[in-house]
Amino acid sequence: MLLSVSLGAVVPLIAAPDQAAAAPADCATLVREDVRAAALLAAECDESVEVLGERSETTQVFVDASGVGRLESAVVPQRVHRKDGTWADIDLALQPVSGGLAPVASTADMTFSVGGTGALVTWREGAATFELSWPGSLPVPRVSGATAIYDGVLPGVNLHVTADRAGFRHVLEVLTPQAASNPALRQVRYGLGGDMRVTRAADGGLSLADASGEKLLQASPAVMWDSSISTPSPGLQERVAGPEDTGQAGTGAEVPVPSDLVSTAQRPGVLAASAPVEVAVSGSDLTLTPDPNMMAASSAAFPLFIDPAFSKLRSKWAYASSNGENNDTSSARVGLSPESGARYRSYFSFDTSAMSDTTVLTAKILMKLDHSWSCEPTWVHLYRTGSWTASSGNRLAWSSYPLGSSATWLDSWEGNANEAGGCGSQQQNSDAVFEGGTLLQDVQAQVGSSNSYWVGLCACNQENEWESAQDRWKKFFTDRTYLVATFDVKPNPPVGLAFTTTTDCYRQCASPAMLRSFTPTLRAQVQDRFGGVLGTAFEIRTSPSLTGTIVVSSTTMPFASVTTVGNATGVATSKVPAGSLVAGVTYYWHATSMDEAGLWSGWGPWYSFTIDNTPPTVSNVTSTQYPFKSWGATPGTAGTFAFTAAGAAEYTWDIDGGSATTTTSASATYTPATDMVHTLHVKAKDSAGNTSSTYDYQFWVSPVPNAYSHWTFDETDPVKTAADAGSGFSARNPATLTGGAHFVPGYLKNALHVSGAVGDGAVTSGPVLDTTKSFTVMAWVRPANLSARPLQTFLAQDGSWMSRFQLQYRQDANGGRGGWCFTLSSADATGASKTIPCAGQNVGIPTNGEWAHVAGRYDRVTGKMRVYVMGDPNSCAGEVTEATAPVSWSATAPFRIGHDFSGDIDDVRAYQRVLSDSEICQQASQ
């Protein structure tokens, strides 16, 4: 709710993990940089918080705890943005700075002289400078608040330089008639310096521009005023004591002079007379020619004050006079001037950019009445005008911006604040408030098309009456003139969110959604820029149009109330009443939100859903590799199972009640690890989440033929061939003894003895195992010399460059204590990586002269490899170490026994399958 802040695209909410409890809000400093942060803090602290990013010299924006914004827009600067990025309230008190005196905080970057022959005033505006000098040496000034006073610049003449919110005023104070008679005051010359070019405007004001011609500063037409206080005012029976009076005639009693009657260097008194001052610019000279009649006035009119005021080119208020006369800009004047007989109107411009694209809730213009001619309340009227620019001195042409019947009337106010002392008492300043429905509606209409709101103040009513009535004369403070408005931004139209999978849908949850529930919960993301309570209504129709037939009206659907904080989003939900929906029909829904101020978001987009409560049916499962209730392939063979089910979006299947797999594919691939009977269980689910009954598919896995080679080494010397006693392979694989290998008594009967010398061993004529498939190898071994070499292999099948597997003794195993290891290499290449699990740390410890049963197993289905060491022939006690096997490859060279092992080898077996732990144990228990 509030401000014209840019919002990104709205996206559905995503569940987030629980967050730690937020730290308590810091309510000591009620200021935040952006709107959202301000709204959050306002809600937490239950206080209004200023939006720092919207602050300017004349405006402030606040957010209250309910999320409503408040704009305070002034017509003169209230604060200054310093070069270091900080803000400070206007503080015009002069303080010493490098090179002179400067106000603590003003929008004008200027310094005043501390005496001597330098510039009286130096003003910097960006890269440009302006200097104003007094023709002579200046005394050290007296400092009084915002004013530096240079006494005696001429006999009986003081020079005042006063800092203003957006500039400065330099005023000559002529104390006596004798001082006024000084020929030097007939024309007062100032020096001009710096790189700004100074030119005189037609109305007598000045324009200051940089080298490119861009206007930067201005000076209002110069005026002078006296200190007279005898202008007639209602109820003023006797002359009030002036600056030189000692009391009232005939009474002997001194009457205090009201402060507003006393003229100063900053402003004329309420009853002071004024006159224009001629201004001329020639080269580097600025010449002021005071009005000779006022200079010759009686002593009662002294001191006299002669000024022009310099300011920045960004005034948000101006005046118009019926006779085109200029006046000082210390007050906003309205009505008939009792001094000159000119009629005055005042104009104001308020920055309303913060309320663009908002709904204005309240609006009022506040002013402070400084003085009225009348002792009784009289009326002033406020009108809306077109935009204007005061080119010089804040004065507009009288006919350019008419008020009364030619303008839009907004409101009127009556009041009085006569401070002349003739009303029986000195009346205090009054607060003028302009408000009401007309003003509110007009502000709302204007903020939609303009960043400023322009008004004019007049003594005239809508019939153009009363502007010439003397009792309507008033002066208002310009620095206490504000537009104060509260405003709100309508909520964002709700954005539909996906239905929940818990009860309503499954895979197709976003529009167009497919639902299984007849009472689904509609969900929408709601958002208000500044948070607050949002009420959200939902409705369902048969088509995406407000003319479509209503299925469930917004008054029938449960109304959702959601509280959001800051610019955060919330989720509004509404459950469809039972009996409202039927299956097979497409419905359309949308939602709208309303905030606490009664602002509607408007309807959000349309979303659709259809109800389907009929579950799919799995009608068939087929597999080429594993037919239904028939003997199929052997373990390790991948099988593809195809599912048939109409309307299915996904399938969930398992084998024998094991872990389930869910897939959107209408088939599954499974590789049995064991033989015999297995059952595939499959269920289908549609996009709405309806689930079929379970379909059971039984298949039989044929046992793996027991293909193996077995070398008993029961032969005797001088036989040089070890027979293969195995079976199952297409041919047997006898091993030929090489080198000094021969038969010796072994673990069972005889054994093969190898010395470890190169060439000792037994080798087949070709490969025995298909090493890309599962296999198990084992042997009884009795080492003779473990120290002969650190690595001694007794079983292996080679490739061109590497052995696919090696069953071996490794001296570096088990922390250097030695062990029995099963090695698989990752490729038939020199330097290929190897995986080497080892055992024999506590059981079957490698010992010279001691028999140990060592086995290695590779399981292609599981991708695992194991080494077994069985040291006890009477039991299966032993050690087993498992590792993840490297990728398989085919070793096509002969199967080797012995190789570089030193000792005896007996009962060697090579199986083309995975032997179970118990089967390996059986072989080790012989």
Side-chain angles (χ1 to χ4, degrees):
M1 301 158 48
L2 198 71
L3 293 184
S4 54
V5 292
S6 176
L7 294 177
V10 179
V11 296
L13 293 178
I14 299 174
D18 292 339
Q19 302 292 321
D26 179 8
C27 299
T29 305
L30 298 175
V31 177
R32 288 295 182 268
E33 178 64 31
D34 56 45
V35 169
R36 183 184 182 193
L40 288 169
L41 186 63
E44 294 180 23
C45 298
D46 197 25
E47 297 277 357
S48 290
V49 176
E50 184 187 359
V51 183
L52 184 60
E54 297 290 336
R55 184 188 292 179
S56 74
E57 293 175 353
T58 58
T59 61
Q60 285 181 289
V61 172
F62 301 85
V63 184
D64 68 18
S66 68
V68 171
R70 184 177 81 255
L71 168 70
E72 296 179 2
S73 183
V75 297
V76 296
Q78 305 293 307
R79 61 202 64 84
V80 59
H81 201 192
R82 291 169 164 157
K83 293 180 179 178
D84 62 2
T86 61
W87 286 91
D89 291 338
I90 294 290
D91 183 350
L92 301 177
L94 296 179
Q95 62 179 353
V97 296
S98 176
L101 300 170
V104 174
S106 169
T107 62
D109 182 7
M110 57 194 176
T111 55
F112 300 161
S113 172
V114 290
T117 58
L120 171 63
V121 178
T122 300
W123 190 334
R124 292 161 293 276
E125 190 70 19
T129 59
F130 165 67
E131 292 180 350
L132 182 69
S133 300
W134 175 257
S137 181
L138 291 167
V140 175
R142 291 183 288 119
V143 176
S144 176
T147 302
I149 306 167
Y150 304 87
D151 294 322
V153 293
L154 291 173
V157 177
N158 300 331
L159 175 58
H160 297 246
V161 182
T162 301
D164 197 359
R165 294 171 181 265
F168 72 93
R169 176 189 298 272
H170 65 104
V171 175
L172 283 174
E173 179 187 22
V174 184
L175 297 173
T176 64
Q178 292 76 18
S181 65
N182 188 337
L185 287 179
R186 293 174 186 171
Q187 284 190 327
V188 182
R189 296 184 183 276
Y190 291 89
L192 301 174
D195 53 14
M196 291 192 199
R197 186 167 60 91
V198 182
T199 56
R200 183 185 183 279
D203 62 358
L206 300 177
S207 176
L208 288 79
D210 62 14
S212 68
E214 180 183 359
K215 293 182 179 180
L216 302 176
L217 311 177
Q218 67 180 8
S220 58
V223 295
M224 61 185 296
W225 60 89
D226 67 9
S227 295
S228 62
I229 54 176
S230 57
T231 304
S233 184
L236 188 59
Q237 300 284 326
E238 301 178 63
R239 185 177 181 278
V240 180
E244 297 181 3
D245 288 337
T246 57
Q248 290 189 8
T251 66
E254 182 176 329
V255 179
V257 179
S259 60
D260 279 12
L261 295 181
V262 179
S263 292
T264 69
Q266 284 72 51
R267 54 156 186 78
V270 170
L271 303 178
S274 63
V277 175
E278 290 294 326
V279 177
V281 176
S282 177
S284 60
D285 288 339
L286 170 66
T287 303
L288 306 182
T289 303
D291 180 78
N293 293 327
M294 184 168 286
M295 295 294 284
S298 66
S299 60
F302 282 82
L304 304 179
F305 301 92
I306 307 167
D307 92 319
F310 288 81
S311 64
K312 293 190 174 186
L313 280 174
R314 52 180 176 183
S315 179
K316 291 182 178 294
W317 84 274
Y319 69 91
S321 56
S322 60
N323 63 358
E325 70 180 17
N326 297 313
N327 216 318
D328 71 278
T329 56
S330 60
S331 298
R333 296 168 172 82
V334 174
L336 182 68
S337 169
E339 175 194 339
S340 66
R343 287 166 290 157
Y344 276 79
R345 298 168 179 172
S346 290
Y347 297 82
F348 308 95
S349 170
F350 300 98
D351 182 354
T352 58
S353 58
M355 296 196 297
S356 298
D357 300 323
T358 70
T359 297
V360 183
L361 304 178
T362 65
K364 55 186 176 182
I365 291 176
L366 308 178
M367 303 183 71
K368 178 72 75 172
L369 178 63
D370 178 27
H371 172 73
S372 67
W373 190 92
S374 174
C375 295
E376 300 297 328
T378 57
W379 291 96
V380 289
H381 296 263
L382 188 70
Y383 299 86
R384 199 239 311 136
T385 71
S387 61
W388 46 262
T389 300
S391 60
S392 177
N394 291 64
R395 184 170 65 80
L396 302 174
W398 178 258
S399 61
S400 297
Y401 301 95
L403 301 179
S405 60
S406 298
T408 301
W409 182 89
L410 300 173
D411 194 19
S412 57
W413 175 83
E414 63 174 342
N416 58 291
N418 186 293
E419 296 166 324
C423 297
S425 65
Q426 184 178 349
Q427 297 177 351
Q428 300 301 308
N429 299 332
S430 295
D431 292 320
V433 180
F434 299 90
E435 55 188 350
T438 302
L439 175 63
L440 174 60
Q441 293 173 16
D442 194 69
V443 171
Q444 177 66 76
Q446 294 301 305
V447 298
S449 59
S450 174
N451 287 330
S452 296
Y453 189 64
W454 311 79
V455 297
L457 193 64
C458 181
C460 57
N461 62 14
Q462 294 168 274
E463 287 74 37
N464 302 315
E465 300 171 329
W466 303 105
E467 192 168 20
S468 296
Q470 187 64 72
D471 65 352
R472 299 292 179 100
W473 173 250
K474 293 181 177 64
K475 292 183 180 180
F476 292 87
F477 292 103
T478 58
D479 60 351
R480 301 186 190 180
T481 300
Y482 305 93
L483 167 65
V484 178
T486 60
F487 54 100
D488 194 0
V489 172
K490 66 181 182 180
N492 293 337
V495 176
L497 297 177
F499 291 90
T500 63
T501 59
T502 305
T503 58
D504 297 339
C505 65
Y506 186 56
R507 298 189 65 86
Q508 194 172 328
C509 297
S511 180
M514 188 64 68
L515 310 183
R516 64 181 182 275
S517 171
F518 287 100
T519 57
T521 297
L522 306 183
R523 303 169 66 247
Q525 178 176 280
V526 295
Q527 186 175 34
D528 194 309
R529 298 183 197 175
F530 292 99
V533 179
L534 294 179
T536 301
F538 298 78
E539 73 169 9
I540 303 174
R541 295 178 181 258
T542 57
S543 64
S545 168
L546 292 176
T547 61
T549 302
I550 295 177
V551 178
V552 187
S553 69
S554 59
T555 57
T556 302
M557 289 289 295
F559 194 74
S561 182
V562 177
T563 299
T564 63
V565 178
N567 195 29
T569 56
V571 177
T573 61
S574 183
K575 188 171 184 178
V576 179
S580 304
L581 309 175
V582 297
V585 175
T586 298
Y587 297 100
Y588 299 86
W589 70 275
H590 59 176
T592 182
S593 294
M594 181 181 73
D595 65 14
E596 307 99 315
L599 300 182
W600 285 98
S601 65
W603 287 104
W606 290 99
Y607 304 93
S608 68
F609 66 88
T610 304
I611 295 177
D612 174 10
N613 67 330
T614 302
T617 300
V618 179
S619 59
N620 196 19
V621 175
T622 59
S623 175
T624 301
Q625 297 80 15
Y626 299 101
F628 179 65
K629 289 188 176 181
S630 300
W631 290 108
T634 58
T637 303
T640 299
F641 299 83
F643 311 136
T644 301
E650 69 176 32
Y651 302 86
T652 300
W653 60 273
D654 68 75
I655 302 295
D656 299 332
S659 59
T661 299
T662 299
T663 178
T664 58
S665 172
S667 65
T669 299
Y670 174 71
T671 302
T674 60
D675 55 18
M676 304 310 290
V677 178
H678 297 280
T679 302
L680 179 145
H681 309 285
V682 60
K683 293 188 291 187
K685 185 180 289 188
D686 63 19
S687 59
N690 300 300
T691 303
S692 72
S693 58
T694 301
Y695 188 97
D696 295 335
Y697 180 84
Q698 188 182 100
F699 61 97
W700 304 341
V701 180
S702 300
V704 175
N706 195 23
Y708 69 101
S709 288
H710 179 201
W711 299 275
T712 63
F713 299 117
D714 289 341
E715 292 82 2
T716 59
D717 292 333
V719 174
K720 292 297 183 179
T721 299
D724 176 6
S727 64
F729 287 121
S730 60
R732 296 193 177 184
N733 299 286
T736 301
L737 276 59
T738 61
H742 60 279
F743 300 106
V744 296
Y747 180 77
L748 297 176
K749 291 183 180 179
N750 283 343
L752 178 69
H753 177 77
V754 289
S755 65
V758 176
D760 274 14
V763 60
T764 62
S765 60
V768 174
L769 298 173
D770 182 352
T771 56
T772 64
K773 298 179 179 179
S774 300
F775 62 85
T776 306
V777 291
M778 63 183 71
W780 281 98
V781 293
R782 178 171 59 183
N785 185 4
L786 294 174
S787 62
R789 54 179 54 86
L791 191 151
Q792 300 183 32
T793 301
F794 50 89
L795 296 182
Q797 185 165 308
D798 297 338
S800 299
W801 301 98
M802 295 288 290
S803 299
R804 166 55 177 163
F805 73 86
Q806 294 173 307
L807 205 56
Q808 60 192 179
Y809 163 77
R810 295 183 68 97
Q811 196 177 82
D812 59 359
N814 299 322
R817 294 187 299 274
W820 304 111
C821 304
F822 182 41
T823 299
L824 290 182
S825 60
S826 60
D828 189 12
T830 303
S833 62
K834 298 179 180 180
T835 303
I836 311 172
C838 298
Q841 184 173 356
N842 298 304
V843 176
I845 301 171
T847 305
N848 288 330
E850 297 291 336
W851 286 99
H853 189 269
V854 182
R857 187 180 75 183
Y858 165 64
D859 189 338
R860 190 192 67 174
V861 176
T862 63
K864 299 295 182 181
M865 58 185 294
R866 283 186 177 185
V867 61
Y868 295 80
V869 177
M870 302 297 183
D872 185 351
N874 299 315
S875 69
C876 287
E879 288 182 4
V880 180
T881 303
E882 183 177 272
T884 299
V887 62
S888 64
W889 54 275
S890 179
T892 58
F895 189 97
R896 291 186 294 107
I897 304 169
H899 195 47
D900 51 11
F901 183 73
S902 176
D904 301 329
I905 305 170
D906 197 1
D907 201 42
V908 174
R909 297 172 184 258
Y911 292 86
Q912 192 67 71
R913 66 181 178 89
V914 172
L915 266 63
S916 65
D917 292 352
S918 60
E919 289 178 306
I920 294 174
C921 176
Q922 290 172 5
Q923 300 301 324
S925 299
Q926 297 184 59

